[in-house]
Amino acid sequence: GGSVCDEIKYLSNARLLDVSGESVPAEPYAMEVASRRIEALGPQSQLPCPGGAEEYDLRGMKLMPGMIDCHDHLAIQEGSMVQRAAIPPSLAVLKTAETLRDTLLGGFTSIRDAGGVDLGIKLAVEQGLIPGPRLKISVNLLSQFGGHNDHTEPAGIDSDFPRLPGVPSGICDGPDACRQKTREMIRAGADWIKICTTGGVGTPIGGPLIRQFSLEEVRAIVDTAHAAGKPVMSHAYGGEGVAICLEAGVDCIEHGAALDDDLIEQMVRQGTWLVPTFTVLRKIVEIGEQEPCPIPEYIPRKARALLDQQVVSFQKALAAGVNKAMGTDAGGFGHGQNASELAYLVAAGMTPMQALVATTSMGAQCMGLGPEVGVLREGMLADLLAVDGDPLQDVGMLQDRSRMRLIVKDGEIVKDTL
């Protein structure tokens, strides 16, 4: 407590993995971390260890920024409806805390939660009550009556449970109700407003390309959110549901697995972000192969139909230069395995460097953390990883936690197995 060696951490013999896409210096680098930030970074020959600093020898390691997932649902509990019905909300809070810790130990220091995490969880991380990634939250998804986030089952019950205490319903219809619901989410602590303008593979009525909400409704939401300084992200696979988002000025398209050339061109022109989320469809297809299948048969069927389309759409967006950030949408399909998305991005046509950029500096820009995290530079918050191996040779190695030898978030050591 309070001694000098607590305050300055000196990382030596580091091989930098620079995600700005520039060439990486061959010589070993050193870094000083103090009061949450990267205080100094340079060739080791020019940056000797300050007196009293705690030294971490990173010989043989790559030093890289903490990873960022721009689309997760950290509060969604895994399991069938019956299993989830047995989880009281207070237990859901504690299970969410466990998920946050597990996600952080996977090397993810920032997460944009696309629905489910409430303000209390975010504050618990900020106040140091629980370990977890830094969070931007959307609280709950705005959806039309009977839309993608309306979980009213044929029996008349709402299957969206357990819900954390600070999460209001997201169902709204008509511009006035949409405006009020947007303000309600902002009041509940939303950093981002999340909307659904198409169905999804989990939507029983209509599929992923059926438009939801009208242009007038989306305009009311975007106008209200932007007036409050909050950006808007939309669950949208393609077609008219993406077109109305772009016309209304939505900031970020989630999934976008069926984008045509005109939509892609408009996204480039407007600087709209794309978060492709390969993981979720692949996980659903895997679950669909289980016997007996624990989810309705139409869900894996719709997911399989989208998979090939998603790769083609992604490659077009990549070639056109759409702003891309990494997101998994893994949520209730398996927490803590966020790094698997990088291998899917590479399989779909990105270079390992592009996948790492999407998971660090571009993720930070997309989330609105660009000036603070995502690259290793003096003055930035110290969110960083020392990994045993070279992700540029094999991004899959980032899924192996034993190779995450040092995890630092906000200048604090989260994991140290050096």
Side-chain angles (χ1 to χ4, degrees):
S3 71
V4 176
C5 68
D6 276 349
E7 287 171 13
I8 299 183
K9 299 174 182 73
Y10 178 75
L11 281 52
S12 60
N13 292 312
R15 299 285 173 182
L16 286 190
L17 184 69
D18 185 20
V19 294
S20 56
E22 296 157 24
S23 62
V24 178
E27 60 189 309
Y29 262 53
M31 177 188 286
E32 287 174 28
V33 173
S35 59
R36 300 176 61 211
R37 296 191 179 266
I38 300 170
E39 291 286 324
L41 175 66
Q44 187 152 334
S45 53
Q46 296 164 32
L47 198 64
C49 183
E54 196 162 344
E55 189 167 355
Y56 297 84
D57 186 351
L58 305 186
R59 197 178 303 274
M61 311 279 162
K62 285 270 195 238
L63 182 63
M64 63 178 280
M67 292 187 283
I68 296 171
D69 186 337
C70 284
H71 190 128
D72 203 353
H73 296 276
L74 295 162
I76 292 184
Q77 302 302 321
E78 297 171 39
S80 67
M81 214 185 293
V82 172
Q83 290 167 318
R84 288 183 288 109
I87 303 174
S90 53
L91 178 58
V93 168
L94 296 168
K95 280 173 143 326
T96 301
E98 183 184 42
T99 296
L100 285 166
R101 178 176 164 275
D102 187 43
T103 302
L104 181 60
L105 289 173
F108 281 80
T109 51
S110 300
I111 300 277
R112 183 176 63 167
D113 191 86
V117 166
D118 70 354
L119 180 60
I121 294 284
K122 183 187 173 194
L123 293 175
V125 173
E126 288 176 359
Q127 293 173 18
L129 287 174
I130 56 174
R134 64 183 73 247
L135 294 171
K136 295 272 188 183
I137 62 172
S138 58
V139 187
N140 204 354
L141 298 68
L142 270 54
S143 163
Q144 69 179 37
F145 193 90
H148 179 65
N149 196 37
D150 186 342
H151 297 273
T152 308
E153 301 297 331
I157 59 162
D158 180 354
S159 64
D160 181 23
F161 53 73
R163 200 184 274 179
L164 296 193
V167 177
S169 161
I171 309 298
C172 48
D173 273 316
D176 289 347
C178 286
R179 199 177 286 282
Q180 182 173 1
K181 191 53 79 173
T182 305
R183 289 175 179 154
E184 188 181 359
M185 289 303 160
I186 293 168
R187 185 178 73 180
D191 303 297
W192 279 77
I193 294 299
K194 166 83 181 290
I195 66 176
C196 306
T197 59
T198 69
V201 293
T203 315
I205 304 164
L209 296 181
I210 299 292
R211 173 176 71 81
Q212 298 185 358
F213 278 140
S214 65
L215 176 59
E216 294 69 37
E217 288 168 321
V218 177
R219 277 200 170 125
I221 292 165
V222 172
D223 174 61
T224 306
H226 285 177
K230 307 294 181 186
V232 181
M233 58 200 282
S234 180
H235 162 105
Y237 277 96
E240 200 189 348
V242 174
I244 61 172
C245 286
L246 299 180
E247 193 165 335
V250 164
D251 303 276
C252 191
I253 300 295
E254 311 298 306
H255 317 307
L259 301 173
D260 64 29
D261 294 342
D262 290 345
L263 293 173
I264 287 169
E265 188 189 323
Q266 192 175 354
M267 287 178 75
V268 173
R269 208 168 52 240
Q270 294 180 197
T272 313
W273 286 86
L274 172 65
V275 177
T277 67
F278 283 98
T279 298
V280 66
L281 292 180
R282 278 156 178 74
K283 283 202 182 273
I284 289 169
V285 169
E286 276 171 33
I287 291 167
E289 286 158 3
Q290 293 173 16
E291 290 288 342
C293 179
I295 52 179
E297 66 76 31
Y298 66 81
I299 298 181
R301 178 163 45 83
K302 289 179 184 179
R304 267 191 291 274
L306 267 179
L307 276 180
D308 296 338
Q309 228 176 332
Q310 185 179 28
V311 171
V312 173
S313 173
F314 177 73
Q315 288 175 344
K316 284 184 182 174
L318 188 59
V322 172
N323 289 329
K324 282 167 297 298
M326 185 276 238
T328 59
D329 194 21
F333 296 111
H335 292 294
Q337 302 151 24
N338 308 62
S340 60
E341 181 76 15
L342 283 98
Y344 296 137
L345 291 171
V346 170
M350 272 189 163
T351 64
M353 178 59 95
Q354 286 173 321
L356 284 160
V357 168
T359 310
T360 52
S361 54
M362 290 293 271
Q365 288 175 47
C366 176
M367 260 177 85
L369 292 170
E372 295 279 45
V373 299
V375 290
L376 302 179
R377 294 230 175 92
E378 289 180 4
M380 303 290 260
L381 291 172
D383 282 14
L384 44 99
L385 314 172
V387 297
D388 183 5
D390 186 357
L392 290 176
Q393 300 304 313
D394 171 25
V395 290
M397 64 146 292
L398 293 169
Q399 298 173 53
D400 181 351
R401 293 186 174 212
S402 67
R403 297 172 78 172
M404 296 266 153
R405 301 293 298 280
L406 185 72
I407 301 175
V408 178
K409 182 213 156 193
D410 228 12
E412 296 293 321
I413 305 288
V414 175
K415 178 186 176 183
D416 173 12
T417 56
L418 292 174

